[in-house]
Amino acid sequence: MSKRERLLKMGLPVLVLLIGLALTIVMLKARQTPHAEEQAFAGPLVEVKTVQSLSWPVNVRASGTVQAREQGEVTPQVSGRIAWISPKMVSGERFTQGELLFSIEAIDYQLALERARAGLATAELEQLKIASQADIARQEWQQLKPQDTAEVNPLVLLEPQLSSSKAAMAAARAGVRQAELDLARTEIRAPFNCYVSDEQVGLGQYLRAGTSYATLTGTDIFEVTIPLPLEELSWLQIPEPGSATEGSPATIELQLGGQVSTWRGTIVRRLGDIDPRTRMASVIVAIDKPLDGDSASDIPLAPGMFVDVLLHGKPLEQVIALPRSTLRDSDTVWLVDDENRLQIRSVVIARREREVVLISAGLNDGERVIVTGLAGAANGMLLRPRTTEAGL
């Protein structure tokens, strides 16, 4: 390598470095020093909701256990062997009112009815004979002593015999009626629309009068007994005894495996006593025709199920509904005024629900309520409000 080439190889990096250093010095000298500007503090960011008064439907949440209004034991009034039994006479099957459940052998009771009718015919004949004899005796007495006004001995006119024959005929009629009733009672029928809860009957089985052999549960109306705090009663329409006023409607909910089934119900009455331990009153919600497709799902309602109940009470007029989280200590709320400054204001609470507080006084339509938290809140604090459309 020649001397010139060696100088060129060593000088180029130095030249590039010097040029870069010169450009850096020029740029530093040309830079202008920034002027410090003081920015005003706009306050912490908060979310606000513009309030508006409305009519709020009051709902009272409760729970209870389903039970049937009607339940009865199948107890035969006559004894005998079962001659016929319905194929549906098994637990879970349904019957309509008057439908035949099973029948008892009727031959003995048919014969008893024939005997009773024969006895009635004999009593009627005997009564006619004695009545005819009494008429003849009265005629003979009047012919023998037409002018005698003294009271006639009843035995002469056969009056005791006539009364006895009439009583015997009445007893014979009662015997026929009793025999007819016993014969009719050999057929055991459903006393109301029902399903079979329990049964212990079989074809040929001998049944004794007065012994229970099955249990029937009514299907027309199910009821739910719901305990409520006394203060909740004022929001509900509860019919008085003997009143035709309709009670508050209710929605019955059942949750099974993530599926929610609902039925419609109505408050029908309130139990008279207050529970001395809990100081709560109980109301009865009736569900009409609970097994006839009223539910929104295929899950059938059954006695013994524990259900949630939403009672739809009287609406509150001209109230402001806010999330419960917006209510601060001592029943106050935080507002943002027209100058974006914090106001702490006391309000009047009309009702507290699970997620909502209803305010009847202390707020005006169009005011902005803070719905988020704020550390160190104080009257007059400057804020940066941002309106939110979030629901309750």
Side-chain angles (χ1 to χ4, degrees):
M1 180 182 297
S2 65
K3 183 178 180 180
R4 182 181 177 182
E5 290 176 349
R6 285 197 302 269
L7 291 174
L8 183 61
K9 187 175 182 180
M10 295 174 60
L12 281 176
V14 176
L15 180 63
V16 171
L17 181 61
L18 291 174
I19 293 173
L21 180 62
L23 290 175
T24 301
I25 294 173
V26 172
M27 292 176 63
L28 289 175
K29 289 184 176 182
R31 183 182 63 177
Q32 295 183 354
T33 304
H35 299 286
E37 294 182 1
E38 185 177 350
Q39 295 184 352
F41 178 62
L45 179 66
V46 293
E47 292 188 350
V48 298
K49 179 179 179 63
T50 304
V51 298
Q52 188 73 32
S53 58
L54 45 72
S55 175
W56 184 266
V58 173
N59 292 319
V60 178
R61 294 185 177 273
S63 57
T65 302
V66 179
Q67 58 189 7
R69 173 178 289 185
E70 296 177 312
Q71 190 171 57
E73 302 291 328
V74 178
T75 304
Q77 294 177 278
V78 295
S79 300
R81 297 188 182 279
I82 295 179
W84 180 87
I85 187 169
S86 171
K88 297 194 301 180
M89 193 59 191
V90 292
S91 296
E93 286 288 352
R94 295 174 62 179
F95 287 88
T96 57
Q97 184 176 8
E99 189 174 355
L100 186 61
L101 305 177
F102 56 87
S103 61
I104 295 173
E105 285 183 347
I107 184 62
D108 293 338
Y109 301 98
Q110 292 171 346
L111 294 175
L113 177 58
E114 291 180 7
R115 288 194 296 269
R117 286 172 176 169
L120 175 59
T122 302
E124 289 175 342
L125 177 60
E126 185 66 18
Q127 194 273 336
L128 288 174
K129 288 170 58 178
I130 295 177
S132 177
Q133 291 172 359
D135 288 340
I136 294 172
R138 181 175 295 279
Q139 292 173 7
E140 289 178 348
W141 178 263
Q142 291 174 351
Q143 289 175 1
L144 290 173
K145 296 184 178 183
Q147 304 301 324
D148 192 352
T149 59
E151 186 176 352
V152 183
N153 189 332
L155 292 175
V156 175
L157 301 180
L158 302 179
E159 289 181 358
Q161 294 87 335
L162 183 60
S163 297
S164 178
S165 66
K166 289 181 179 179
M169 188 171 64
R173 286 200 182 100
V176 171
R177 180 58 181 154
Q178 183 63 57
E180 291 174 343
L181 283 175
D182 288 344
L183 180 60
R185 287 168 177 168
T186 60
E187 293 185 344
I188 312 300
R189 298 182 179 274
F192 42 76
N193 296 329
C194 60
Y195 67 86
V196 181
S197 299
D198 180 56
E199 55 83 22
Q200 300 174 13
V201 293
L203 192 62
Q205 180 181 353
Y206 186 85
L207 306 183
R208 296 187 181 277
T211 302
S212 174
Y213 292 96
T215 302
L216 304 178
T217 299
T219 58
D220 286 338
I221 297 177
F222 285 176
E223 294 182 340
V224 185
T225 302
I226 302 170
L228 292 174
L230 296 179
E231 59 269 18
E232 297 285 21
L233 299 182
S234 61
W235 303 108
L236 304 173
Q237 184 69 40
I238 303 174
E240 294 294 332
S243 172
T245 304
E246 186 172 354
S248 297
T251 301
I252 294 86
E253 298 180 349
L254 174 67
Q255 295 189 15
L256 288 176
Q259 183 178 6
V260 179
S261 304
T262 60
W263 293 264
R264 293 186 296 271
T266 306
I267 296 178
V268 292
R269 65 186 184 277
R270 179 174 75 88
L271 299 184
D273 296 337
I274 304 297
D275 191 318
R277 294 178 294 104
T278 62
R279 309 304 302 169
M280 300 180 76
S282 294
V283 298
I284 304 298
V285 172
I287 309 166
D288 191 35
K289 305 297 182 184
L291 303 181
D292 292 349
D294 184 45
S295 171
S297 75
D298 296 330
I299 300 176
L301 192 65
M305 286 182 171
F306 190 77
V307 294
D308 295 321
V309 181
L310 189 63
L311 304 172
H312 307 291
K314 307 169 186 175
L316 272 173
E317 304 295 341
Q318 296 298 307
V319 293
I320 291 175
L322 290 174
R324 293 198 66 160
S325 59
T326 62
L327 190 65
R328 314 300 174 177
D329 294 337
S330 302
D331 290 346
T332 60
V333 296
W334 296 343
L335 304 176
V336 176
D337 62 14
D338 295 337
E339 297 179 356
N340 290 340
R341 293 190 176 276
L342 174 66
Q343 286 188 9
I344 301 177
R345 186 182 300 175
S346 297
V347 293
V348 177
I349 307 300
R351 176 175 171 79
R352 303 171 195 263
E353 296 192 347
R354 181 180 298 179
E355 299 176 354
V356 177
V357 60
L358 303 175
I359 299 172
S360 59
L363 289 178
N364 301 313
D365 290 351
E367 290 188 310
R368 296 178 294 173
V369 175
I370 299 174
V371 297
T372 54
L374 181 62
N379 267 320
M381 176 186 292
L382 186 62
L383 303 172
R384 281 188 299 145
R386 182 178 67 181
T387 303
T388 177
E389 298 298 330
L392 296 178

